[in-house]
Amino acid sequence: MQVRLHNPKRTVDVDGPVRVDKLLRQLGLRREAVLVIRGDSLVTGDALLAADDEIEIRPVISGGAR
Amino acid sequence: MKCRRCREPAVIDVRRHRAAFCRDCFLHHCREQVRRTVEKHKMISPGERALVAVSGGKDSLAVWDLLLDLGHEADGVYLGLGIGDYSEHSAVYARDFAAARGVALVEVDVRAEAGFGIPEASQAVRRSPCSACGLSKRHLLNRAARDRGYDVLVTGHNLDDEAAVLFGNVLHWQVDYLARQRPVLPSTDGFVRRVKPLIRMSERETAAYCVLKGIDYVVEECPMAAGNRHLRYKETLGQMEESSPGIKADFYLGFIERVLPLLDGVAETERGLVGECSRCGSPSTAEVCAFCRLAERAAATAVPSDVLPLAVGQLDGAGIPLEGHRPADER
């Protein structure tokens, strides 16, 4: 599957099917620090991602003074 | 995973609530969090006009959207900070949201208003960009709300923001800053009431809210914020949250409930020290307020903005305090 990542922006290929939690561990990401987006919705940690899914993993942490 | 409310398939799990939600129930959960926060802390009364500080990011657009859905009269204000393409890009999201919801967006160009942009200001005074930015925002947002007759200024600070600021203030035992770290800063002479309706929502929840509500926001981080202290505190707290879900909420919400009341006297004493800036008339504990001093130094060392670097992380770590660490006249 194609996984779109940010900071820096890039796309990586990952073998599927795979569960979201396992994918995040493979990529070294904390689940509380990201959202996993499939289409126009979100998926939970136990969701099974298919080999032909297109996924975006979006960081949620922002900083600086506001 | 099933939704806690309706048992339909969930789209998001919120570990600190030991719950998962489907789309509609999650949006309901967010509205309830904000409604209860606004009511509990008496942030906005019926009929009051609110001005939402909008950056184009997830938190400010989420809080604006939530307040509108809850029936509040809320316009937005966008500050053009002069941070190159990032500022131009961010403004588009704020404008698009305002147009989609049919609400007013006030735009203030910091360079036109104050004579400097954030990159040159931070260079001039050798403060971290986030410090100069925060100081400028607090001053100009208050001015924008006050001059246009709004009753309350709304910011999108979320649970993670507040926990990180609290963490920094506790590490340095900044008692006066702790006394000021409140969900509501009451209106006083020259200050419009400032409120933070998102203090019970994590930034993961505000981001999820935007995705599920179809709100486009700027995902990229400000190029000047990289590596700042606030982000490092967030990372530390995030690691603790991973192994102990709910610990951030316990830390910050416990502070509000159990510690802030003990600091009322400190906050009262500070308010008594606030006078008026001799230059701009804004509230200040000094003869000249921190913003006017920043503007003066930026003007004295002005260099063309197009030769300034955007990534000025080298200024960070210079021992300059960030958000939460600020003089009383720039609360």
Side-chain angles (χ1 to χ4, degrees), chain B residues 43-196:
Chain B
M43 290 182 168
I44 309 171
S45 299
E48 285 191 324
R49 294 174 67 230
L51 185 64
V52 182
V54 183
S55 66
K58 64 190 190 312
D59 304 307
S60 56
L61 292 178
V63 76
W64 196 4
D65 191 71
L66 283 157
L67 290 179
L68 290 170
D69 281 358
L70 289 168
H72 292 286
E73 185 184 340
D75 295 334
V77 55
Y78 175 82
L79 293 186
L81 299 168
I83 307 177
D85 291 344
Y86 181 76
S87 288
E88 296 298 321
H89 189 53
S90 304
V92 172
Y93 292 95
R95 289 179 197 133
D96 286 353
F97 178 89
R101 293 289 316 233
V103 286
L105 178 70
V106 176
E107 294 197 44
V108 177
D109 184 82
V110 172
R111 199 169 270 127
E113 187 87 0
F116 60 84
I118 298 306
E120 53 264 44
S122 63
Q123 288 279 57
V125 298
R126 302 199 180 282
R127 292 176 74 148
S128 78
C130 295
S131 175
C133 184
L135 193 160
S136 302
K137 280 182 185 173
R138 287 187 289 277
H139 181 94
L140 293 171
L141 289 171
N142 183 66
R143 188 199 289 179
R146 185 191 63 199
D147 292 353
R148 290 167 177 81
Y150 287 93
D151 300 296
V152 56
L153 178 64
V154 178
T155 62
H157 292 92
N158 58 45
L159 174 61
D160 293 80
D161 295 324
E162 293 301 298
V165 171
L166 177 60
F167 190 61
N169 286 339
V170 167
L171 283 179
H172 300 285
W173 289 119
Q174 301 279 14
V175 177
D176 47 347
Y177 302 144
L178 288 168
R180 264 182 264 149
Q181 197 188 338
R182 294 171 185 269
V184 176
L185 287 169
S187 61
T188 55
D189 286 345
F191 278 126
V192 173
R193 185 189 330 135
R194 265 190 29 193
V195 303
K196 303 169 185 173

Side-chain angles (χ1 to χ4, degrees), chain A residues 6-7 9 29-37 40-46 56 58-66, chain B residues 1 11-13 15 58-59 130 134 137 157 161 203-204 207-208 211-212 217 219-221 228 231 234-235 238 242 323:
Chain A
H6 295 261
N7 301 332
K9 279 187 178 177
L29 297 170
R30 282 195 295 108
R31 63 187 255 180
E32 291 297 312
V34 297
L35 292 175
V36 180
I37 303 172
D40 60 359
S41 191
L42 303 171
V43 288
T44 52
D46 64 343
E56 177 188 354
R58 186 180 293 187
V60 299
I61 296 175
S62 54
R66 281 186 286 164
Chain B
M1 235 178 252
V11 296
I12 181 165
D13 53 318
R15 291 179 72 208
K58 64 190 190 312
D59 304 307
C130 295
K137 280 182 185 173
H157 292 92
D161 295 324
E203 54 191 346
R204 184 166 178 267
V211 171
L212 294 173
Y217 63 89
V219 175
E220 292 75 29
E221 185 55 87
N228 77 27
L231 284 172
K234 277 191 175 180
E235 182 59 30
E242 202 78 17
E323 169 72 18

Side-chain angles (χ1 to χ4, degrees), chain A residues 2-51:
Chain A
Q2 296 248 299
V3 180
R4 193 150 58 93
L5 296 154
H6 295 261
N7 301 332
K9 279 187 178 177
R10 61 205 186 279
T11 300
V12 298
D13 283 316
V14 176
D15 290 337
V18 63
R19 294 209 182 275
V20 168
D21 280 343
K22 186 175 179 186
L23 172 65
L24 294 180
R25 279 198 301 275
Q26 283 177 1
L27 295 169
L29 297 170
R30 282 195 295 108
R31 63 187 255 180
E32 291 297 312
V34 297
L35 292 175
V36 180
I37 303 172
R38 179 169 58 189
D40 60 359
S41 191
L42 303 171
V43 288
T44 52
D46 64 343
L48 189 64
L49 303 173

Side-chain angles (χ1 to χ4, degrees), chain B residues 5-75:
Chain B
R5 285 182 81 226
C6 71
R7 310 309 298 165
E8 291 294 312
V11 296
I12 181 165
D13 53 318
V14 184
R15 291 179 72 208
R16 72 188 166 91
H17 291 312
R18 294 182 186 166
F21 299 98
C22 69
R23 176 189 179 276
D24 290 348
C25 290
F26 179 72
L27 298 180
H28 171 83
H29 159 79
C30 294
R31 279 193 297 274
E32 280 302 293
Q33 294 277 318
V34 170
R35 184 186 64 75
R36 287 206 294 261
T37 302
V38 169
E39 284 182 9
K40 178 177 180 179
H41 296 284
K42 299 181 174 61
M43 290 182 168
I44 309 171
S45 299
E48 285 191 324
R49 294 174 67 230
L51 185 64
V52 182
V54 183
S55 66
K58 64 190 190 312
D59 304 307
S60 56
L61 292 178
V63 76
W64 196 4
D65 191 71
L66 283 157
L67 290 179
L68 290 170
D69 281 358
L70 289 168
H72 292 286
E73 185 184 340
D75 295 334

